[in-house]
Amino acid sequence: MLKIGIITGSTRDSRVNLNVAEWVKSIADKRTDAEFELVDIKDYNLPKFNEPIPAIMSQDYQAPEAKAWSEKINDLDGFVFVTPEYNKAITSGLKDAIDYLYVEWNNKAAGIVSYGSTLGVTAANNLRLILTVPKVATVGTQPALSLFTDFEEMRTFKPAPFHEETVQTMLNEVVAWSTGLKSIRN
């Protein structure tokens, strides 16, 4: 069975990101076509990216935290990234988590769920561009949430019910693409 990781995009103590990721997982858990797992980048305690050799050239990771991160990402067939928008981009924590690896991301599919004052669209586009380098294929459907209408006082996550259908459509695409790409990796 496919394994899809729902990856958090923030490590801040005051983040709402985990709530959004848990909501996506609650929708995904209703499905039977893949196993879904919440992967919280904060749990991996990755330091700022400072490997002596880029991951595209070597998987001899010097940071011990990178080894556990590598094993987790390598074990997954696809991803759903849940990204907030900070200053029109993804967070530095998410960027570092992506940069630590290369081969582990290759030929896998990803969906993106974004949120922010402008729905996190610029961060999602930023993430799509970043993911092209480690050869992650991003699906087209993108649930986008507003800090003004899907959060109370920009802190308490209360998504509008119509978002669930968009999440399901995105998950359909992630599962389909992950299935196809798994045959390329094998």
Side-chain angles (χ1 to χ4, degrees):
M1 180 160 297
L2 288 176
K3 295 180 185 176
I4 309 293
I6 299 169
I7 300 177
T8 61
S10 176
T11 58
R12 284 181 19 180
D13 291 337
S14 63
R15 66 188 171 152
V16 295
N17 189 260
L18 187 58
N19 301 105
V20 180
E22 288 169 341
W23 170 75
V24 171
K25 186 172 184 311
S26 74
I27 295 168
D29 283 345
K30 297 174 187 172
R31 303 174 65 98
T32 59
D33 53 357
E35 293 176 14
F36 295 89
E37 174 184 353
L38 186 63
V39 180
D40 189 354
I41 61 174
K42 188 172 185 169
D43 290 344
Y44 290 84
N45 296 312
L46 291 164
K48 288 288 180 198
F49 181 72
N50 193 25
E51 290 287 316
I53 300 172
I56 196 169
M57 298 174 162
S58 171
Q59 283 69 58
D60 182 24
Y61 305 117
Q62 299 305 299
E65 298 88 351
K67 293 174 181 161
W69 180 238
S70 169
E71 289 173 15
K72 173 50 61 188
I73 298 306
N74 196 53
D75 191 44
L76 298 169
D77 298 304
F79 317 100
V80 174
F81 289 90
V82 178
T83 185
E85 184 168 273
Y86 292 178
N87 296 319
K88 302 295 182 193
I90 64 171
T91 67
S92 59
L94 180 55
K95 180 68 166 76
D96 282 334
I98 294 167
D99 288 346
Y100 260 101
L101 309 176
Y102 180 76
V103 172
E104 298 87 343
W105 299 114
N106 287 183
N107 299 311
K108 296 180 183 179
I112 299 170
V113 176
S114 65
Y115 62 92
S117 59
T118 56
L119 307 176
V121 173
T122 306
N125 288 338
N126 177 243
L127 181 55
R128 285 180 196 283
L129 181 61
I130 290 165
L131 290 172
T132 63
V133 175
K135 302 178 188 174
V136 177
T138 55
V139 302
T141 300
Q142 178 196 316
L145 306 156
S146 170
L147 282 177
F148 301 113
T149 59
D150 294 306
F151 295 81
E152 291 177 356
E153 299 179 14
M154 295 189 190
R155 288 189 304 263
T156 305
F157 184 51
K158 301 276 185 174
F162 71 86
H163 290 300
E164 185 168 342
E165 183 178 339
T166 309
V167 170
Q168 285 290 8
T169 300
M170 177 206 56
L171 292 172
N172 290 341
E173 294 171 7
V174 170
V175 168
W177 287 30
S178 295
T179 300
L181 288 169
K182 190 169 186 171
S183 67
I184 292 172
R185 291 191 318 276
N186 292 335

Short mmCIF file of all heavy atoms in Angstrom, two decimals, residues 2 15 23 28-29 34 42 46 52 59 80 90 99 110 119 127 136 138 152 154 163 177 180:
data_model
loop_
_atom_site.label_atom_id
_atom_site.label_comp_id
_atom_site.label_asym_id
_atom_site.label_seq_id
_atom_site.Cartn_x
_atom_site.Cartn_y
_atom_site.Cartn_z
N LEU A 2 0.44 2.25 -0.70
CA LEU A 2 1.16 3.53 -0.74
C LEU A 2 1.24 4.15 0.64
O LEU A 2 0.29 4.07 1.42
CB LEU A 2 0.45 4.52 -1.65
CG LEU A 2 0.50 4.30 -3.14
CD1 LEU A 2 -0.36 5.35 -3.83
CD2 LEU A 2 1.92 4.37 -3.66
N ARG A 15 2.73 28.03 16.21
CA ARG A 15 2.17 27.69 14.91
C ARG A 15 0.74 27.13 14.99
O ARG A 15 0.38 26.47 15.95
CB ARG A 15 3.06 26.67 14.22
CG ARG A 15 3.10 25.34 14.95
CD ARG A 15 4.14 24.41 14.39
NE ARG A 15 4.26 23.24 15.26
CZ ARG A 15 4.63 22.07 14.87
NH1 ARG A 15 4.95 21.87 13.61
NH2 ARG A 15 4.71 21.07 15.71
N TRP A 23 -6.01 18.28 10.41
CA TRP A 23 -7.28 18.33 9.69
C TRP A 23 -7.16 17.60 8.35
O TRP A 23 -8.03 16.80 7.99
CB TRP A 23 -7.71 19.78 9.51
CG TRP A 23 -8.86 20.01 8.60
CD1 TRP A 23 -10.18 19.75 8.86
CD2 TRP A 23 -8.81 20.56 7.28
NE1 TRP A 23 -10.95 20.11 7.78
CE2 TRP A 23 -10.13 20.61 6.79
CE3 TRP A 23 -7.77 21.02 6.47
CZ2 TRP A 23 -10.44 21.09 5.52
CZ3 TRP A 23 -8.08 21.50 5.21
CH2 TRP A 23 -9.41 21.54 4.75
N ALA A 28 -7.89 12.50 5.09
CA ALA A 28 -7.18 11.41 4.42
C ALA A 28 -7.47 10.06 5.06
O ALA A 28 -7.55 9.04 4.36
CB ALA A 28 -5.68 11.70 4.43
N ASP A 29 -7.64 10.05 6.37
CA ASP A 29 -7.87 8.79 7.08
C ASP A 29 -9.19 8.13 6.72
O ASP A 29 -9.41 6.95 7.04
CB ASP A 29 -7.79 9.01 8.59
CG ASP A 29 -6.36 9.14 9.08
OD1 ASP A 29 -5.42 8.79 8.33
OD2 ASP A 29 -6.18 9.61 10.22
N ALA A 34 -4.56 4.35 0.44
CA ALA A 34 -3.19 4.66 0.87
C ALA A 34 -3.17 4.79 2.39
O ALA A 34 -4.21 4.99 3.02
CB ALA A 34 -2.70 5.96 0.22
N LYS A 42 9.10 19.51 12.91
CA LYS A 42 9.62 19.96 14.20
C LYS A 42 10.16 18.79 15.03
O LYS A 42 11.13 18.94 15.77
CB LYS A 42 8.53 20.70 14.98
CG LYS A 42 9.02 21.35 16.24
CD LYS A 42 7.98 22.24 16.87
CE LYS A 42 8.57 22.95 18.06
NZ LYS A 42 7.71 24.00 18.56
N LEU A 46 15.88 19.32 12.93
CA LEU A 46 16.93 19.58 11.96
C LEU A 46 17.56 20.94 12.22
O LEU A 46 16.85 21.94 12.34
CB LEU A 46 16.36 19.56 10.54
CG LEU A 46 15.91 18.20 10.02
CD1 LEU A 46 15.03 18.37 8.80
CD2 LEU A 46 17.11 17.34 9.70
N PRO A 52 28.34 19.84 4.61
CA PRO A 52 29.50 20.26 3.82
C PRO A 52 29.36 19.96 2.33
O PRO A 52 29.95 20.64 1.50
CB PRO A 52 30.66 19.46 4.43
CG PRO A 52 30.02 18.32 5.13
CD PRO A 52 28.65 18.77 5.54
N GLN A 59 24.87 11.34 0.02
CA GLN A 59 23.93 11.06 1.10
C GLN A 59 24.67 10.72 2.39
O GLN A 59 24.11 10.11 3.30
CB GLN A 59 22.97 9.92 0.71
CG GLN A 59 21.87 10.33 -0.25
CD GLN A 59 22.40 10.67 -1.63
OE1 GLN A 59 23.03 9.84 -2.28
NE2 GLN A 59 22.16 11.88 -2.08
N VAL A 80 1.97 15.33 1.14
CA VAL A 80 1.12 16.51 1.15
C VAL A 80 1.85 17.50 2.05
O VAL A 80 2.08 17.22 3.23
CB VAL A 80 -0.29 16.23 1.70
CG1 VAL A 80 -1.07 17.53 1.83
CG2 VAL A 80 -1.03 15.23 0.81
N ILE A 90 7.76 30.11 1.67
CA ILE A 90 7.64 29.07 2.68
C ILE A 90 8.55 29.42 3.85
O ILE A 90 9.39 30.32 3.75
CB ILE A 90 8.00 27.68 2.09
CG1 ILE A 90 9.45 27.61 1.65
CG2 ILE A 90 7.04 27.32 0.96
CD1 ILE A 90 9.93 26.21 1.27
N ASP A 99 16.02 20.89 1.69
CA ASP A 99 17.42 20.97 1.26
C ASP A 99 18.31 19.87 1.82
O ASP A 99 19.32 19.51 1.21
CB ASP A 99 18.02 22.33 1.62
CG ASP A 99 17.47 23.46 0.78
OD1 ASP A 99 16.84 23.19 -0.26
OD2 ASP A 99 17.70 24.63 1.15
N ALA A 110 3.51 15.14 -4.90
CA ALA A 110 3.14 15.93 -3.73
C ALA A 110 1.95 16.82 -4.04
O ALA A 110 1.82 17.35 -5.13
CB ALA A 110 4.31 16.79 -3.27
N LEU A 119 -4.24 33.48 1.10
CA LEU A 119 -4.44 32.05 0.86
C LEU A 119 -3.14 31.25 0.75
O LEU A 119 -3.16 30.07 0.43
CB LEU A 119 -5.29 31.81 -0.40
CG LEU A 119 -6.64 32.54 -0.47
CD1 LEU A 119 -7.30 32.26 -1.81
CD2 LEU A 119 -7.53 32.12 0.68
N LEU A 127 6.97 26.91 -3.22
CA LEU A 127 7.23 25.51 -2.89
C LEU A 127 7.25 24.65 -4.16
O LEU A 127 8.11 23.78 -4.31
CB LEU A 127 6.20 24.99 -1.89
CG LEU A 127 6.35 23.55 -1.42
CD1 LEU A 127 7.73 23.27 -0.85
CD2 LEU A 127 5.26 23.24 -0.40
N VAL A 136 10.31 16.31 -7.47
CA VAL A 136 9.00 16.01 -6.90
C VAL A 136 7.95 16.60 -7.82
O VAL A 136 8.00 17.78 -8.15
CB VAL A 136 8.85 16.60 -5.48
CG1 VAL A 136 7.45 16.35 -4.93
CG2 VAL A 136 9.91 16.02 -4.54
N THR A 138 4.43 17.97 -8.46
CA THR A 138 3.32 18.52 -7.68
C THR A 138 2.03 18.46 -8.48
O THR A 138 2.01 18.78 -9.66
CB THR A 138 3.59 19.97 -7.24
OG1 THR A 138 3.89 20.76 -8.38
CG2 THR A 138 4.75 20.03 -6.26
N GLU A 152 -10.33 31.67 13.34
CA GLU A 152 -10.89 32.69 14.23
C GLU A 152 -9.73 33.46 14.82
O GLU A 152 -8.80 32.86 15.38
CB GLU A 152 -11.71 32.04 15.34
CG GLU A 152 -12.99 31.41 14.86
CD GLU A 152 -13.75 30.72 15.97
OE1 GLU A 152 -13.27 30.64 17.12
OE2 GLU A 152 -14.85 30.22 15.67
N MET A 154 -7.29 34.65 13.49
CA MET A 154 -6.07 34.19 12.84
C MET A 154 -5.29 33.15 13.64
O MET A 154 -4.13 32.88 13.36
CB MET A 154 -5.15 35.37 12.49
CG MET A 154 -5.74 36.30 11.49
SD MET A 154 -4.50 37.49 10.97
CE MET A 154 -5.52 38.61 10.03
N HIS A 163 -13.96 23.15 1.82
CA HIS A 163 -12.55 22.81 1.60
C HIS A 163 -12.31 21.30 1.58
O HIS A 163 -11.37 20.83 0.94
CB HIS A 163 -11.66 23.45 2.66
CG HIS A 163 -11.53 24.92 2.55
ND1 HIS A 163 -11.02 25.55 1.45
CD2 HIS A 163 -11.86 25.91 3.43
CE1 HIS A 163 -11.02 26.86 1.64
NE2 HIS A 163 -11.53 27.10 2.84
N TRP A 177 -0.86 9.86 -8.86
CA TRP A 177 0.50 10.17 -9.32
C TRP A 177 1.54 9.34 -8.55
O TRP A 177 2.52 8.89 -9.13
CB TRP A 177 0.79 11.65 -9.18
CG TRP A 177 0.10 12.54 -10.17
CD1 TRP A 177 -1.11 12.32 -10.78
CD2 TRP A 177 0.58 13.77 -10.66
NE1 TRP A 177 -1.41 13.38 -11.60
CE2 TRP A 177 -0.39 14.29 -11.55
CE3 TRP A 177 1.71 14.52 -10.42
CZ2 TRP A 177 -0.24 15.50 -12.21
CZ3 TRP A 177 1.87 15.74 -11.07
CH2 TRP A 177 0.90 16.22 -11.96
N GLY A 180 1.68 5.87 -10.02
CA GLY A 180 2.42 5.86 -11.27
C GLY A 180 3.92 6.03 -11.08
O GLY A 180 4.73 5.32 -11.69
#
